[in-house]
Amino acid sequence: MKPFANLGDAPLTPETLYFLPLGGSGEIGMNFNLYGFNDQWIAVDVGITFADDTTPPGIEVITPDPSSLKTLGERLIAIIITHAHEDHVGAIGYLWPALKAPVYCTGFTASVAERKLGEAGLLDQVALHRVLPGERRSFGPFEIEWIALTHSIPESHALCLEVGGLRVVHTGDWKLDPNPLEGVHYDDRRLMALGDAGVDVVIGDSTNATVDGWSGSELDCYRGLLDVISQEQQRVCVTCFSSNTARLASLGRIARETGRRITILGRSLFQYVATAKANGYLREFPELVPPEDLDYLPKSEQLILATGSQGEARAAMARLARGEHHSLVLEADDCVVFSSKVIPGNEKKLFRLYDLLSSKRIRVVTEAEACVHVSGHPCRDELTWMYRALQPNTVIPVHGEHRHMVAHAELAQQLGCSALTVQNGDLVSLTTSPPRVEAKIASGRLGLSGTSLVPLTDRALNERRALALGGMLSITVVLDKKSRLVGQPQIELMGVPSGELGGEALKAELTFAVEEILAEASSRVLQSDDALREMIQRELAHSLHQWMGIRPRQLVQVIRI
Ligand SMILES: [Zn+2]
Ligand SMILES: [Zn+2]
């Protein structure tokens, strides 16, 4: 099926509810989903994802490509954010100028969205509306209700959409935590009531669909952390996701219970603690000890909270491990706790960090050694509970890599639901029974390069990758009116190791090779810049590969005087 470049070009049927994922299906990250009915559309979540081994160098942040929505204009009537994780709200500042619709979310999420819009200089342009948990609002033909769920951040919500005679539950990210420690409990009564009223479709979180059992509670994690920290005699440093308010609340409580004081290292932890407090969370969080006062505090009374649980090179944890943090030097017999999971792709970075700490005789505790982390996503028993409560006709797995979505679909089928596995760009009719993919819409990824968003397929980014892999060779030849060489060809090497030969000798060899090529070129080739460039590139590529087994990029300039 060839994708339509613009959603507006796709043949849409009136009185049909459409679902269109443009990010987050087939991947964990950059969630971006659309629902449309009678040509009025809403977007649910506008997230980012982070670079991995396949991303061109220099790109760290990736957003969905919204260009297929260009023709929607004012028919995009609302952007709804389910919760404040980066994969749901992270792209709001980058993509809002392309979407230009009012934004709706609950208070904690709104504070995070506000910060992102402020950083993008958009605060005065965006209508950001705060919604209350449990509230119902109308957006054109859509009636939408926010339903409280537990997750690993305050205020994660499922959305119940009623439109065109259908009831659709978009779960967002969730788990069933009987003891979430911070924030409200999941609204099981409302979920069961919706199930009794009849749910047509659930579109939901697949992250842990391959994992048996339950995800565990923040209370279990509190106990695990208390157990580890209370046994330590020296300094303890814990790193976790800054947005995990319940985890921070646990650490605050543990500090009090073990006679320690908390010091925070890292900007995002300060930001999230402030955001949480401003929204009524972390009420009992202890007063902080500023980093500059640590010298006055015995090591046995120090509990350091540091950013960088994924081994990010510039974050506090990695700088502490390298001994490069300006406020603190970790010492032998200190303990570092990674109260977080290893996000796939970050293994190498993190294992290097564990090793670096271990080489300094610092004890490293991860979720492999103790219960110091619980997942925020539903495992199979929680998914089963949800589908027994909601009793949907159809389940559409999203928020997962392909294998997670397939496992999710199979589980839903075992529970008597029909299931449809989708990919980014699938335009699904939810009105059809069962729902089916009606068309394909262009979807893609944009990379943040400086302050611009560039398609990851952009030629310049692919060139950058080639340059990073093989370096570059620049050749300038100056020819006179009779196409005779004037002076020597100028050769420059960038990122090309010259091996045993040495840089100057390699340049001399290449200069000689170019002179030879020109001496042997036909007059037809000599008179055409393109033909000459092509011949030099071909011959030099061949020679360099033979001499040294390398294929650098080449920039050949022909100047005629
Ligand atoms: Zn998520
Ligand atoms: Zn989340």
Side-chain angles (χ1 to χ4, degrees), residues 5-24:
N6 285 311
L7 177 56
D9 297 339
L12 300 175
T13 314
E15 302 299 314
T16 299
L17 175 60
Y18 289 101
F19 168 62
L20 172 63
L22 287 177

Side-chain angles (χ1 to χ4, degrees), residues 28-29 31 83 85 87-88 151 172-173 205 207 377 399:
I28 294 180
N31 297 282
H83 67 289
H85 274 149
D87 59 324
H88 297 260
H151 183 36
D173 292 5
D205 186 350
T207 314
H377 298 274
H399 202 290

